[in-house]
Amino acid sequence: MKILYQDLINHLSNKPSKELLSQKLFQLGHEHEIHDDIFDMELTPNRGDCLSLLGLARDLNVFFGQSEPIDIFEDNFNSLEIDFENLSPSDCPQISFLEIEIEETVENYKPYLDNYFSALGNKKTNFFTDISNFISYELGQPTHCFNGETIKNKLIFENKVCKDSFKTLLNSEIFLEDHNCVFTIDDEIISLAGVMGGASTACSKKTKKVLIECAYFNPESIIGKSLKYNLISDAAHKFERGVDIASQEMVLRRFAKVVQDHAKIKSIKLKSFVSGPRKSTYIPIDVNKINNILGISLDKNEYLRYLKLLGFE
């Protein structure tokens, strides 16, 4: 994963040098190489929470402090009426859809968005897909953009046995077999969930109405699919390691804010689907146990301060 030095320190209240930042990343166990102003990170598979700017910044907060929260869309969303059915909630326990329509197409990007492409050497595709890629880089949550004009009938998510040809948004033809998590319309597969969307519903440079899918997929449901079908996929890389199920509204509000920075929004609507209550995980506060394990002598206030800097409540 490639991260721009300037982007990373923008999320820290203190602004360390590249050398000091590198030292602290190694201290945290995040191996990397530095090429000019780019940190090329090698993160262990169990640190999927660090596969983003905000994820790495969260780990570094204990050294350099937390910056101001990112800008998000602050207005209310209208309710989206979407004909959607989740036939496999165990594979996708929570999913949100944001529909945005803009007045005019967008060609020129603000510096913060344009820099993601020019400085990191990423290829621009189209306005909405470019924002989706930027949001994944910034927040670690993949999103998928359907051309809103192509979603006319009932949209279904399911884990089904496939024997189907599928044309990806990269125009490569693959044959799906055995069990796969997919999105379908009228029994046509339009997306290999968590891996790659299809050509039939892909956005283009002319797209002004988009349906953005933001989901949590169980890692076990996604693991191995990109390898099996030879599809290089940043989304699959992140879904396989687990994303933050509680972040969907914030992610979509950030997406909407980036759109708002570039275009006049004609309409914006949101709908979320949650399968059952989400259980919170509680960790008992046992400072003595932590001190015995680590061989240090924290007091309770220090202990809680570190956890709060890491995002615990």
Side-chain angles (χ1 to χ4, degrees), residues 255-271:
F255 195 113
K257 174 58 178 171
V258 179
V259 173
Q260 189 180 48
D261 285 347
H262 293 82
K264 184 176 181 181
I265 295 176
K266 188 174 180 180
S267 70
I268 186 163
K269 303 173 184 178
L270 175 72
K271 180 73 173 181

Side-chain angles (χ1 to χ4, degrees), residues 132-166:
S132 178
N133 291 334
F134 173 74
I135 294 295
S136 183
Y137 164 74
E138 186 179 57
L139 304 182
Q141 168 70 54
T143 54
H144 179 67
C145 297
F146 297 102
N147 185 332
E149 301 296 343
T150 65
I151 310 299
K152 300 295 186 183
N153 297 327
K154 187 174 186 177
L155 178 64
I156 294 175
F157 170 81
E158 58 184 319
N159 189 337
K160 61 179 289 190
V161 176
C162 300
K163 289 186 178 179
D164 304 86
S165 291
F166 172 63

